[in-house]
Amino acid sequence: MTALKLQNSLTRKKEDFKPIDPAHVRLYACGPTVYNFAHIGNARMAVVFDLLADLLRSLYPKVTYVSNITDIDDKIIAAARETGRPCDEITCKYADIYNRDMAALGVKTPDVQPRATTHIPQMIALIETLIAKGHAYEGQGHVLFNVPSFPAYGGLSGRSRDDQIAGARVEVAPYKRDPADFVLWKPSTPEQPGWDSPWGRGRPGWHIECSAMAQEHLGLPFDIHGGGADLKFPHHENEIAQSCCAQGQLKDLSAFAKFWVHNGFVTVNTQKMAKSEGNTRLVHDLLQQYDGETLRLALLSAQYSQPLDWTENLLQQTQKTLERLYQSLRELADITPEKNSDQHDNPILEALCDDLNTPKAIAALGHLARKAAQTRAPFDKAALLAGANLLGVLQQDADAWLGYGQPANDVDAAKIENLLQQRQDARKAKNFARADEIRQELTEMGIAIEDTPSGAVWKKL
RNA sequence: GGCGCGGUGGCAGAGUGGCCAUGCAGAGGACUGCAAAUCCUCGUACCCGGGUUCGAUUCCCGGCCGUGCCUCCA
């Protein structure tokens, strides 16, 4: 069996993946805060870890993939104030949209998709443990994690406590013992969402939810923790601090998660995508114009840890690539796929096992498509389909995807068939001028004709 | 300032100490009444300067350029 290698942010090395328990692999990835439509950066994270979860499933008997939804956060509160809608209405709405958009990209719902607001007791318990062990303290209704109490702090990002405060942009609040300390719990005003706690009515800080939910649904330590590269610091660093300290593990940063995997950022025309730049690309909008598979393949066109530049050109190239793949599938429509007995070494599986090398995998898919087209062998078709499944593409009907037999807007199929018949007659009579005239007529209707040995077929342009 | 990443053909994007990435675009050919689709073939690609080596795009050193994080962010 091919061995999986992953770039581990914690050790900064590409390592062989060895599960803690080969009978049950456990994966966690930080999901979105739901206060707006998902953008293509959110989608990259979702697609990458969906792919990783799938890969693990093909390698191990049981995999649990947990990815959270953050539904309590100051940005959500701000959105509620702006729109005049309650927080839970906003979070339900956008969580729903998120899941629908991701489904369109072929992303399966994670095995567990926990929400922060349904894990408040677990967070409170975790905070109490941290206080009891001397890693956290209360001040003016806040509870803070005391960074100097964890000497190993900063090991993931390679940043020391001093580095963190050197920027001097961390909030220096009067209730902090150390400038680097971060909030575990904060008080809520009566109109803000809040929960009763030993420290009064309040709400959790950002980092504690992931520590609590990962522990609740996976147990500690677990195998792989993922998320966007920007989360490495401070979010993931703080998660490690909380979870390690709560377990009394002051030295071993891998006592929370063994492997840390970070996906790179998406830029738009080489510019950072940010609300402030006004260049966010929403999945919801892109789906109006492109098929979900096109977006998925475009997101996988660069290896996950590399930056990915999102451009119109990328989408068009990707769409063409997909068209060609579907075309080869169409040529093989009459072949019944059949697995070959010695088909263990799937080149796409092999590429993905090399730190999720999706460009290599896509290249391999191209090879398989060509090979299958040449040999028309049942096992070559099976290999192509197996590879495509692994990548989550070519999941649709080829004819439909390519537009064969699909009438264009306000053109009915009967009319097309009629013209096609007339053209056939003209061709039979060697009246090619008339045949070309009909072709032109159909082109203007948005219909293309292709002559095949078994007669003419048409498709939507 | 601290930590990190990257510079590969027209574009996207892998990879390797000596031979092929792949896709898109482009050129030629087969096929076709024409076309489309498909198949075949093709392009003297690896930022600059040193070093190691029989041989470096690939390893080492230096430089130039670009970029991410350090503040909410996928």
PDB file of all heavy atoms in Angstrom, chain A residues 210-243:
ATOM      1  N   CYS A 210     -12.255  25.458  19.646  1.00  0.00           N
ATOM      2  CA  CYS A 210     -11.649  24.358  18.895  1.00  0.00           C
ATOM      3  C   CYS A 210     -10.997  23.351  19.834  1.00  0.00           C
ATOM      4  O   CYS A 210     -11.057  22.143  19.604  1.00  0.00           O
ATOM      5  CB  CYS A 210     -10.641  24.888  17.884  1.00  0.00           C
ATOM      6  SG  CYS A 210     -11.436  25.725  16.503  1.00  0.00           S
ATOM      7  N   SER A 211     -10.365  23.860  20.882  1.00  0.00           N
ATOM      8  CA  SER A 211      -9.777  22.946  21.867  1.00  0.00           C
ATOM      9  C   SER A 211     -10.858  22.052  22.462  1.00  0.00           C
ATOM     10  O   SER A 211     -10.686  20.842  22.599  1.00  0.00           O
ATOM     11  CB  SER A 211      -9.104  23.737  22.993  1.00  0.00           C
ATOM     12  OG  SER A 211      -7.863  24.256  22.567  1.00  0.00           O
ATOM     13  N   ALA A 212     -11.977  22.668  22.815  1.00  0.00           N
ATOM     14  CA  ALA A 212     -13.051  21.919  23.482  1.00  0.00           C
ATOM     15  C   ALA A 212     -13.723  20.941  22.530  1.00  0.00           C
ATOM     16  O   ALA A 212     -13.984  19.783  22.876  1.00  0.00           O
ATOM     17  CB  ALA A 212     -14.081  22.894  24.054  1.00  0.00           C
ATOM     18  N   MET A 213     -13.988  21.378  21.308  1.00  0.00           N
ATOM     19  CA  MET A 213     -14.732  20.523  20.380  1.00  0.00           C
ATOM     20  C   MET A 213     -13.879  19.381  19.844  1.00  0.00           C
ATOM     21  O   MET A 213     -14.373  18.266  19.646  1.00  0.00           O
ATOM     22  CB  MET A 213     -15.309  21.363  19.250  1.00  0.00           C
ATOM     23  CG  MET A 213     -16.387  22.316  19.758  1.00  0.00           C
ATOM     24  SD  MET A 213     -17.308  23.158  18.462  1.00  0.00           S
ATOM     25  CE  MET A 213     -16.130  24.363  17.920  1.00  0.00           C
ATOM     26  N   ALA A 214     -12.601  19.648  19.618  1.00  0.00           N
ATOM     27  CA  ALA A 214     -11.716  18.580  19.146  1.00  0.00           C
ATOM     28  C   ALA A 214     -11.617  17.493  20.215  1.00  0.00           C
ATOM     29  O   ALA A 214     -11.697  16.303  19.924  1.00  0.00           O
ATOM     30  CB  ALA A 214     -10.339  19.139  18.814  1.00  0.00           C
ATOM     31  N   GLN A 215     -11.467  17.937  21.448  1.00  0.00           N
ATOM     32  CA  GLN A 215     -11.351  16.986  22.552  1.00  0.00           C
ATOM     33  C   GLN A 215     -12.638  16.180  22.708  1.00  0.00           C
ATOM     34  O   GLN A 215     -12.619  14.963  22.863  1.00  0.00           O
ATOM     35  CB  GLN A 215     -11.048  17.747  23.845  1.00  0.00           C
ATOM     36  CG  GLN A 215     -10.898  16.850  25.057  1.00  0.00           C
ATOM     37  CD  GLN A 215     -10.423  17.613  26.291  1.00  0.00           C
ATOM     38  OE1 GLN A 215     -10.163  18.819  26.226  1.00  0.00           O
ATOM     39  NE2 GLN A 215     -10.305  16.925  27.397  1.00  0.00           N
ATOM     40  N   GLU A 216     -13.767  16.875  22.620  1.00  0.00           N
ATOM     41  CA  GLU A 216     -15.066  16.237  22.794  1.00  0.00           C
ATOM     42  C   GLU A 216     -15.314  15.158  21.735  1.00  0.00           C
ATOM     43  O   GLU A 216     -15.781  14.076  22.032  1.00  0.00           O
ATOM     44  CB  GLU A 216     -16.161  17.310  22.705  1.00  0.00           C
ATOM     45  CG  GLU A 216     -17.589  16.774  22.620  1.00  0.00           C
ATOM     46  CD  GLU A 216     -18.143  16.376  23.986  1.00  0.00           C
ATOM     47  OE1 GLU A 216     -17.484  16.698  25.003  1.00  0.00           O
ATOM     48  OE2 GLU A 216     -19.216  15.757  24.021  1.00  0.00           O
ATOM     49  N   HIS A 217     -14.998  15.482  20.486  1.00  0.00           N
ATOM     50  CA  HIS A 217     -15.395  14.580  19.397  1.00  0.00           C
ATOM     51  C   HIS A 217     -14.303  13.637  18.918  1.00  0.00           C
ATOM     52  O   HIS A 217     -14.588  12.664  18.221  1.00  0.00           O
ATOM     53  CB  HIS A 217     -15.937  15.391  18.220  1.00  0.00           C
ATOM     54  CG  HIS A 217     -17.188  16.137  18.574  1.00  0.00           C
ATOM     55  ND1 HIS A 217     -18.406  15.521  18.712  1.00  0.00           N
ATOM     56  CD2 HIS A 217     -17.388  17.445  18.873  1.00  0.00           C
ATOM     57  CE1 HIS A 217     -19.322  16.412  19.061  1.00  0.00           C
ATOM     58  NE2 HIS A 217     -18.729  17.584  19.167  1.00  0.00           N
ATOM     59  N   LEU A 218     -13.069  13.931  19.268  1.00  0.00           N
ATOM     60  CA  LEU A 218     -11.989  13.065  18.801  1.00  0.00           C
ATOM     61  C   LEU A 218     -11.184  12.441  19.930  1.00  0.00           C
ATOM     62  O   LEU A 218     -10.574  11.388  19.747  1.00  0.00           O
ATOM     63  CB  LEU A 218     -11.034  13.864  17.893  1.00  0.00           C
ATOM     64  CG  LEU A 218     -11.617  14.357  16.571  1.00  0.00           C
ATOM     65  CD1 LEU A 218     -10.613  15.232  15.835  1.00  0.00           C
ATOM     66  CD2 LEU A 218     -12.031  13.188  15.682  1.00  0.00           C
ATOM     67  N   GLY A 219     -11.145  13.084  21.083  1.00  0.00           N
ATOM     68  CA  GLY A 219     -10.264  12.618  22.152  1.00  0.00           C
ATOM     69  C   GLY A 219      -8.850  13.101  21.884  1.00  0.00           C
ATOM     70  O   GLY A 219      -8.502  13.420  20.751  1.00  0.00           O
ATOM     71  N   LEU A 220      -8.040  13.149  22.930  1.00  0.00           N
ATOM     72  CA  LEU A 220      -6.679  13.667  22.776  1.00  0.00           C
ATOM     73  C   LEU A 220      -5.655  12.590  23.100  1.00  0.00           C
ATOM     74  O   LEU A 220      -5.889  11.801  24.002  1.00  0.00           O
ATOM     75  CB  LEU A 220      -6.464  14.862  23.708  1.00  0.00           C
ATOM     76  CG  LEU A 220      -7.426  16.024  23.549  1.00  0.00           C
ATOM     77  CD1 LEU A 220      -6.977  17.178  24.447  1.00  0.00           C
ATOM     78  CD2 LEU A 220      -7.550  16.473  22.109  1.00  0.00           C
ATOM     79  N   PRO A 221      -4.542  12.619  22.417  1.00  0.00           N
ATOM     80  CA  PRO A 221      -4.294  13.425  21.229  1.00  0.00           C
ATOM     81  C   PRO A 221      -4.936  12.780  20.014  1.00  0.00           C
ATOM     82  O   PRO A 221      -5.235  11.608  20.016  1.00  0.00           O
ATOM     83  CB  PRO A 221      -2.774  13.402  21.103  1.00  0.00           C
ATOM     84  CG  PRO A 221      -2.366  12.078  21.689  1.00  0.00           C
ATOM     85  CD  PRO A 221      -3.371  11.783  22.766  1.00  0.00           C
ATOM     86  N   PHE A 222      -5.136  13.574  18.963  1.00  0.00           N
ATOM     87  CA  PHE A 222      -5.665  13.010  17.719  1.00  0.00           C
ATOM     88  C   PHE A 222      -4.627  13.183  16.623  1.00  0.00           C
ATOM     89  O   PHE A 222      -3.535  13.728  16.867  1.00  0.00           O
ATOM     90  CB  PHE A 222      -7.020  13.632  17.361  1.00  0.00           C
ATOM     91  CG  PHE A 222      -7.016  15.129  17.258  1.00  0.00           C
ATOM     92  CD1 PHE A 222      -6.817  15.741  16.035  1.00  0.00           C
ATOM     93  CD2 PHE A 222      -7.221  15.924  18.380  1.00  0.00           C
ATOM     94  CE1 PHE A 222      -6.818  17.130  15.928  1.00  0.00           C
ATOM     95  CE2 PHE A 222      -7.227  17.309  18.286  1.00  0.00           C
ATOM     96  CZ  PHE A 222      -7.027  17.913  17.056  1.00  0.00           C
ATOM     97  N   ASP A 223      -4.949  12.710  15.405  1.00  0.00           N
ATOM     98  CA  ASP A 223      -3.912  12.571  14.388  1.00  0.00           C
ATOM     99  C   ASP A 223      -3.536  13.854  13.657  1.00  0.00           C
ATOM    100  O   ASP A 223      -2.382  14.218  13.594  1.00  0.00           O
ATOM    101  CB  ASP A 223      -4.348  11.519  13.349  1.00  0.00           C
ATOM    102  CG  ASP A 223      -4.445  10.140  13.957  1.00  0.00           C
ATOM    103  OD1 ASP A 223      -3.402   9.625  14.396  1.00  0.00           O
ATOM    104  OD2 ASP A 223      -5.561   9.595  14.033  1.00  0.00           O
ATOM    105  N   ILE A 224      -4.534  14.502  13.068  1.00  0.00           N
ATOM    106  CA  ILE A 224      -4.217  15.638  12.190  1.00  0.00           C
ATOM    107  C   ILE A 224      -5.113  16.820  12.524  1.00  0.00           C
ATOM    108  O   ILE A 224      -6.334  16.670  12.654  1.00  0.00           O
ATOM    109  CB  ILE A 224      -4.429  15.273  10.703  1.00  0.00           C
ATOM    110  CG1 ILE A 224      -3.596  14.047  10.318  1.00  0.00           C
ATOM    111  CG2 ILE A 224      -4.075  16.460   9.798  1.00  0.00           C
ATOM    112  CD1 ILE A 224      -3.904  13.512   8.928  1.00  0.00           C
ATOM    113  N   HIS A 225      -4.503  17.986  12.643  1.00  0.00           N
ATOM    114  CA  HIS A 225      -5.267  19.216  12.816  1.00  0.00           C
ATOM    115  C   HIS A 225      -4.945  20.113  11.634  1.00  0.00           C
ATOM    116  O   HIS A 225      -3.790  20.340  11.322  1.00  0.00           O
ATOM    117  CB  HIS A 225      -4.883  19.905  14.127  1.00  0.00           C
ATOM    118  CG  HIS A 225      -5.774  21.059  14.469  1.00  0.00           C
ATOM    119  ND1 HIS A 225      -6.402  21.186  15.675  1.00  0.00           N
ATOM    120  CD2 HIS A 225      -6.165  22.132  13.746  1.00  0.00           C
ATOM    121  CE1 HIS A 225      -7.133  22.278  15.697  1.00  0.00           C
ATOM    122  NE2 HIS A 225      -6.991  22.882  14.527  1.00  0.00           N
ATOM    123  N   GLY A 226      -5.989  20.617  10.980  1.00  0.00           N
ATOM    124  CA  GLY A 226      -5.765  21.436   9.798  1.00  0.00           C
ATOM    125  C   GLY A 226      -6.417  22.799   9.900  1.00  0.00           C
ATOM    126  O   GLY A 226      -7.181  23.076  10.824  1.00  0.00           O
ATOM    127  N   GLY A 227      -6.114  23.627   8.905  1.00  0.00           N
ATOM    128  CA  GLY A 227      -6.715  24.948   8.838  1.00  0.00           C
ATOM    129  C   GLY A 227      -5.923  25.840   7.889  1.00  0.00           C
ATOM    130  O   GLY A 227      -4.908  25.414   7.340  1.00  0.00           O
ATOM    131  N   GLY A 228      -6.387  27.037   7.717  1.00  0.00           N
ATOM    132  CA  GLY A 228      -5.704  27.987   6.836  1.00  0.00           C
ATOM    133  C   GLY A 228      -4.393  28.439   7.444  1.00  0.00           C
ATOM    134  O   GLY A 228      -4.223  28.456   8.658  1.00  0.00           O
ATOM    135  N   ALA A 229      -3.461  28.791   6.556  1.00  0.00           N
ATOM    136  CA  ALA A 229      -2.121  29.169   6.998  1.00  0.00           C
ATOM    137  C   ALA A 229      -2.147  30.345   7.978  1.00  0.00           C
ATOM    138  O   ALA A 229      -1.316  30.416   8.889  1.00  0.00           O
ATOM    139  CB  ALA A 229      -1.270  29.534   5.783  1.00  0.00           C
ATOM    140  N   ASP A 230      -3.081  31.224   7.819  1.00  0.00           N
ATOM    141  CA  ASP A 230      -3.132  32.400   8.687  1.00  0.00           C
ATOM    142  C   ASP A 230      -3.550  32.039  10.105  1.00  0.00           C
ATOM    143  O   ASP A 230      -3.367  32.816  11.032  1.00  0.00           O
ATOM    144  CB  ASP A 230      -4.109  33.409   8.111  1.00  0.00           C
ATOM    145  CG  ASP A 230      -5.477  32.805   7.954  1.00  0.00           C
ATOM    146  OD1 ASP A 230      -5.565  31.639   7.541  1.00  0.00           O
ATOM    147  OD2 ASP A 230      -6.465  33.480   8.261  1.00  0.00           O
ATOM    148  N   LEU A 231      -4.107  30.853  10.268  1.00  0.00           N
ATOM    149  CA  LEU A 231      -4.570  30.446  11.594  1.00  0.00           C
ATOM    150  C   LEU A 231      -3.437  29.927  12.473  1.00  0.00           C
ATOM    151  O   LEU A 231      -3.598  29.787  13.685  1.00  0.00           O
ATOM    152  CB  LEU A 231      -5.633  29.347  11.440  1.00  0.00           C
ATOM    153  CG  LEU A 231      -7.098  29.764  11.588  1.00  0.00           C
ATOM    154  CD1 LEU A 231      -7.346  31.115  10.966  1.00  0.00           C
ATOM    155  CD2 LEU A 231      -8.005  28.728  10.961  1.00  0.00           C
ATOM    156  N   LYS A 232      -2.303  29.669  11.833  1.00  0.00           N
ATOM    157  CA  LYS A 232      -1.184  29.091  12.563  1.00  0.00           C
ATOM    158  C   LYS A 232      -0.877  29.953  13.790  1.00  0.00           C
ATOM    159  O   LYS A 232      -0.675  29.443  14.886  1.00  0.00           O
ATOM    160  CB  LYS A 232       0.026  29.031  11.631  1.00  0.00           C
ATOM    161  CG  LYS A 232       1.109  28.098  12.095  1.00  0.00           C
ATOM    162  CD  LYS A 232       2.352  28.243  11.244  1.00  0.00           C
ATOM    163  CE  LYS A 232       2.302  27.429   9.978  1.00  0.00           C
ATOM    164  NZ  LYS A 232       3.601  27.459   9.260  1.00  0.00           N
ATOM    165  N   PHE A 233      -0.844  31.225  13.571  1.00  0.00           N
ATOM    166  CA  PHE A 233      -0.648  32.153  14.682  1.00  0.00           C
ATOM    167  C   PHE A 233      -1.683  33.266  14.593  1.00  0.00           C
ATOM    168  O   PHE A 233      -1.841  33.830  13.530  1.00  0.00           O
ATOM    169  CB  PHE A 233       0.763  32.759  14.640  1.00  0.00           C
ATOM    170  CG  PHE A 233       1.042  33.591  15.852  1.00  0.00           C
ATOM    171  CD1 PHE A 233       1.611  33.012  16.971  1.00  0.00           C
ATOM    172  CD2 PHE A 233       0.689  34.932  15.893  1.00  0.00           C
ATOM    173  CE1 PHE A 233       1.835  33.764  18.096  1.00  0.00           C
ATOM    174  CE2 PHE A 233       0.911  35.679  17.030  1.00  0.00           C
ATOM    175  CZ  PHE A 233       1.486  35.099  18.131  1.00  0.00           C
ATOM    176  N   PRO A 234      -2.367  33.576  15.668  1.00  0.00           N
ATOM    177  CA  PRO A 234      -2.217  32.984  16.993  1.00  0.00           C
ATOM    178  C   PRO A 234      -3.165  31.804  17.267  1.00  0.00           C
ATOM    179  O   PRO A 234      -2.974  31.109  18.258  1.00  0.00           O
ATOM    180  CB  PRO A 234      -2.592  34.142  17.907  1.00  0.00           C
ATOM    181  CG  PRO A 234      -3.633  34.890  17.127  1.00  0.00           C
ATOM    182  CD  PRO A 234      -3.248  34.743  15.696  1.00  0.00           C
ATOM    183  N   HIS A 235      -4.162  31.595  16.395  1.00  0.00           N
ATOM    184  CA  HIS A 235      -5.226  30.660  16.742  1.00  0.00           C
ATOM    185  C   HIS A 235      -4.710  29.266  17.119  1.00  0.00           C
ATOM    186  O   HIS A 235      -5.000  28.752  18.188  1.00  0.00           O
ATOM    187  CB  HIS A 235      -6.238  30.574  15.598  1.00  0.00           C
ATOM    188  CG  HIS A 235      -7.416  29.692  15.890  1.00  0.00           C
ATOM    189  ND1 HIS A 235      -8.228  29.879  16.977  1.00  0.00           N
ATOM    190  CD2 HIS A 235      -7.894  28.601  15.257  1.00  0.00           C
ATOM    191  CE1 HIS A 235      -9.173  28.955  16.977  1.00  0.00           C
ATOM    192  NE2 HIS A 235      -8.988  28.161  15.953  1.00  0.00           N
ATOM    193  N   HIS A 236      -3.952  28.652  16.222  1.00  0.00           N
ATOM    194  CA  HIS A 236      -3.506  27.288  16.499  1.00  0.00           C
ATOM    195  C   HIS A 236      -2.489  27.229  17.633  1.00  0.00           C
ATOM    196  O   HIS A 236      -2.468  26.283  18.421  1.00  0.00           O
ATOM    197  CB  HIS A 236      -2.946  26.654  15.229  1.00  0.00           C
ATOM    198  CG  HIS A 236      -4.010  26.381  14.214  1.00  0.00           C
ATOM    199  ND1 HIS A 236      -3.755  26.202  12.877  1.00  0.00           N
ATOM    200  CD2 HIS A 236      -5.362  26.274  14.347  1.00  0.00           C
ATOM    201  CE1 HIS A 236      -4.900  25.980  12.231  1.00  0.00           C
ATOM    202  NE2 HIS A 236      -5.881  26.031  13.091  1.00  0.00           N
ATOM    203  N   GLU A 237      -1.672  28.239  17.693  1.00  0.00           N
ATOM    204  CA  GLU A 237      -0.703  28.315  18.786  1.00  0.00           C
ATOM    205  C   GLU A 237      -1.443  28.326  20.130  1.00  0.00           C
ATOM    206  O   GLU A 237      -1.040  27.654  21.085  1.00  0.00           O
ATOM    207  CB  GLU A 237       0.104  29.608  18.623  1.00  0.00           C
ATOM    208  CG  GLU A 237       1.444  29.602  19.306  1.00  0.00           C
ATOM    209  CD  GLU A 237       2.441  28.679  18.625  1.00  0.00           C
ATOM    210  OE1 GLU A 237       3.033  29.066  17.598  1.00  0.00           O
ATOM    211  OE2 GLU A 237       2.627  27.572  19.142  1.00  0.00           O
ATOM    212  N   ASN A 238      -2.504  29.069  20.176  1.00  0.00           N
ATOM    213  CA  ASN A 238      -3.266  29.174  21.418  1.00  0.00           C
ATOM    214  C   ASN A 238      -4.060  27.907  21.721  1.00  0.00           C
ATOM    215  O   ASN A 238      -4.210  27.524  22.878  1.00  0.00           O
ATOM    216  CB  ASN A 238      -4.199  30.389  21.356  1.00  0.00           C
ATOM    217  CG  ASN A 238      -3.410  31.698  21.356  1.00  0.00           C
ATOM    218  OD1 ASN A 238      -2.192  31.686  21.554  1.00  0.00           O
ATOM    219  ND2 ASN A 238      -4.086  32.805  21.131  1.00  0.00           N
ATOM    220  N   GLU A 239      -4.551  27.283  20.679  1.00  0.00           N
ATOM    221  CA  GLU A 239      -5.227  25.993  20.877  1.00  0.00           C
ATOM    222  C   GLU A 239      -4.276  24.996  21.527  1.00  0.00           C
ATOM    223  O   GLU A 239      -4.645  24.280  22.473  1.00  0.00           O
ATOM    224  CB  GLU A 239      -5.660  25.394  19.524  1.00  0.00           C
ATOM    225  CG  GLU A 239      -6.958  25.915  18.980  1.00  0.00           C
ATOM    226  CD  GLU A 239      -7.333  25.140  17.720  1.00  0.00           C
ATOM    227  OE1 GLU A 239      -7.416  23.899  17.775  1.00  0.00           O
ATOM    228  OE2 GLU A 239      -7.519  25.782  16.666  1.00  0.00           O
ATOM    229  N   ILE A 240      -3.061  24.951  20.991  1.00  0.00           N
ATOM    230  CA  ILE A 240      -2.067  24.022  21.535  1.00  0.00           C
ATOM    231  C   ILE A 240      -1.800  24.352  22.995  1.00  0.00           C
ATOM    232  O   ILE A 240      -1.774  23.463  23.856  1.00  0.00           O
ATOM    233  CB  ILE A 240      -0.745  24.106  20.722  1.00  0.00           C
ATOM    234  CG1 ILE A 240      -0.945  23.511  19.330  1.00  0.00           C
ATOM    235  CG2 ILE A 240       0.382  23.378  21.450  1.00  0.00           C
ATOM    236  CD1 ILE A 240       0.263  23.618  18.415  1.00  0.00           C
ATOM    237  N   ALA A 241      -1.628  25.633  23.288  1.00  0.00           N
ATOM    238  CA  ALA A 241      -1.327  26.047  24.663  1.00  0.00           C
ATOM    239  C   ALA A 241      -2.439  25.596  25.608  1.00  0.00           C
ATOM    240  O   ALA A 241      -2.191  24.987  26.655  1.00  0.00           O
ATOM    241  CB  ALA A 241      -1.150  27.564  24.716  1.00  0.00           C
ATOM    242  N   GLN A 242      -3.675  25.859  25.221  1.00  0.00           N
ATOM    243  CA  GLN A 242      -4.815  25.491  26.077  1.00  0.00           C
ATOM    244  C   GLN A 242      -4.893  23.991  26.284  1.00  0.00           C
ATOM    245  O   GLN A 242      -5.037  23.502  27.414  1.00  0.00           O
ATOM    246  CB  GLN A 242      -6.126  25.941  25.416  1.00  0.00           C
ATOM    247  CG  GLN A 242      -6.287  27.425  25.290  1.00  0.00           C
ATOM    248  CD  GLN A 242      -7.295  27.786  24.205  1.00  0.00           C
ATOM    249  OE1 GLN A 242      -7.772  26.932  23.447  1.00  0.00           O
ATOM    250  NE2 GLN A 242      -7.624  29.051  24.119  1.00  0.00           N
ATOM    251  N   SER A 243      -4.825  23.260  25.195  1.00  0.00           N
ATOM    252  CA  SER A 243      -5.065  21.825  25.278  1.00  0.00           C
ATOM    253  C   SER A 243      -3.916  21.082  25.925  1.00  0.00           C
ATOM    254  O   SER A 243      -4.131  20.104  26.631  1.00  0.00           O
ATOM    255  CB  SER A 243      -5.344  21.261  23.882  1.00  0.00           C
ATOM    256  OG  SER A 243      -6.563  21.785  23.416  1.00  0.00           O
TER     257      SER A 243
END
